[in-house]
Amino acid sequence: MSEGTAPKEHFAGVFSLQKTIKIGAGATSRRVAQSSFFFVSENEEGQLIMQALGPLGLPVGTKTPITREDLLKSYLPEPGMYQQTVLPKMREVQVSVARGEKFRKRGETFTAEFEFNKALALDEENVRANFGIGLCYLSRGEKQKADEVFRRVVSIEAAYEPEHKHLFNEFGINLRKSGMHEQALEYYQKGLSISPNDEHLRYNAARAAFEKGDHEAAAAHLGKALEINPGFDEARTFLEHLKKKGLA
């Protein structure tokens, strides 16, 4: 970016879809208007992504691409709802998550957990808050609580998006280091179902399988990692070690 050039601002807003539905039957039937509300934002590639607004006024559920043409043709802008309800709540969640991450990095895991829970009270599928609270539990050795978070995280598709990759890896590594090998493997398998050509996911899965004692699976993951990236030295060294020990 050249000096003096402002960063690009990505579009975001709330839109509504108006539908007329029939209620009742026969002479007592009537038609009523029904509105559904959606949060629409622009990603780094300039694509518009739509999510439904939940009862708390925050985006929830599946992210669906939509063209500008379809958006303007079928949906009505709701700038007041965005400015007065959605944006303040999104900022509230962001502030709590940022504070939680700051406290977690300082080792103040109980204070961090409090902040992450504030965010989750508004947005239970917030990826950063879920990862953060899971990492707090793992750092304190609270495996049962960490497993509950793990079950929640694996069901959130957004957890595997590139922007969360560093948190994804940190959580998986900590699952493995905590001896939760089954969970770590399931976690990486979910990631591989979405990004099968990620050699680092393969390598991490291999480490989890190895520590679980499944050397055959470890070797298979390493072989796949090297097919994807023949120059992956750590994977090659690991696989050669397995072969020397007669484990692959």
Side-chain angles (χ1 to χ4, degrees):
M1 182 171 66
S2 62
E3 186 176 350
T5 302
K8 180 185 176 183
E9 291 189 9
H10 295 288
F11 169 82
V14 171
F15 289 78
S16 63
L17 179 64
Q18 311 291 329
K19 287 185 178 179
T20 301
I21 60 172
K22 184 179 179 182
I23 296 179
T28 61
S29 69
R30 68 185 190 278
R31 293 189 174 275
V32 296
Q34 186 180 62
S35 297
S36 300
F37 296 92
F38 301 87
F39 175 69
V40 180
S41 60
E42 181 182 12
N43 63 18
E44 293 296 329
E45 290 73 42
Q47 185 181 38
L48 292 182
I49 304 297
M50 173 181 284
Q51 275 183 289
L53 285 184
L56 295 178
L58 284 166
V60 296
T62 305
K63 294 181 177 181
T64 305
I66 186 170
T67 66
R68 280 170 169 75
E69 292 76 13
D70 286 343
L71 180 65
L72 296 174
K73 177 182 177 183
S74 303
Y75 297 81
L76 295 174
E78 301 284 352
M81 178 178 285
Y82 176 64
Q83 292 292 338
Q84 297 165 22
T85 302
V86 177
L87 187 57
K89 287 194 174 184
M90 291 178 72
R91 285 175 175 163
E92 186 179 345
V93 170
Q94 289 167 359
V95 168
S96 292
V97 169
R99 286 172 59 84
E101 289 179 344
K102 179 184 73 174
F103 287 121
R104 184 182 69 81
K105 288 173 182 176
R106 285 175 12 188
E108 300 176 38
T109 59
F110 287 102
T111 308
E113 180 185 349
F114 174 76
E115 293 293 340
F116 289 132
N117 273 323
K118 281 170 63 178
L120 291 171
L122 290 171
D123 180 7
E124 64 181 14
E125 289 195 353
N126 185 276
V127 174
R128 289 168 62 196
N130 274 292
F131 274 132
I133 204 166
L135 287 166
C136 287
Y137 293 149
L138 287 170
S139 70
R140 301 201 301 254
E142 297 179 20
K143 292 185 179 181
Q144 184 174 347
K145 287 185 177 180
D147 185 66
E148 291 172 4
V149 175
F150 159 76
R151 297 294 163 196
R152 188 161 66 239
V153 165
V154 292
S155 68
I156 303 173
E157 293 295 328
Y160 308 94
E161 293 176 356
E163 65 184 286
H164 300 126
K165 190 167 185 176
H166 67 291
L167 287 167
F168 177 93
N169 286 332
E170 186 177 358
F171 191 52
I173 289 166
N174 277 273
L175 283 171
R176 175 177 59 78
K177 287 182 176 179
S178 297
M180 299 172 70
H181 301 119
E182 285 286 353
Q183 289 91 332
L185 278 169
E186 184 178 340
Y187 183 64
Y188 288 130
Q189 284 298 144
K190 175 71 173 179
L192 287 167
S193 71
I194 297 169
S195 302
N197 293 321
D198 188 322
E199 68 269 34
H200 295 287
L201 279 180
R202 291 283 179 188
Y203 181 77
N204 287 334
R207 292 197 65 175
F210 176 77
E211 292 184 19
K212 183 189 171 190
D214 191 344
H215 304 134
E216 184 177 344
H221 281 300
L222 292 169
K224 285 285 187 181
L226 289 167
E227 284 179 21
I228 297 163
N229 179 8
F232 193 172
D233 292 335
E234 291 92 340
R236 189 173 302 282
T237 301
F238 193 175
L239 185 57
E240 288 172 355
H241 170 76
L242 291 178
K243 289 178 177 178
K244 284 180 183 177
K245 295 289 186 178
L247 302 174

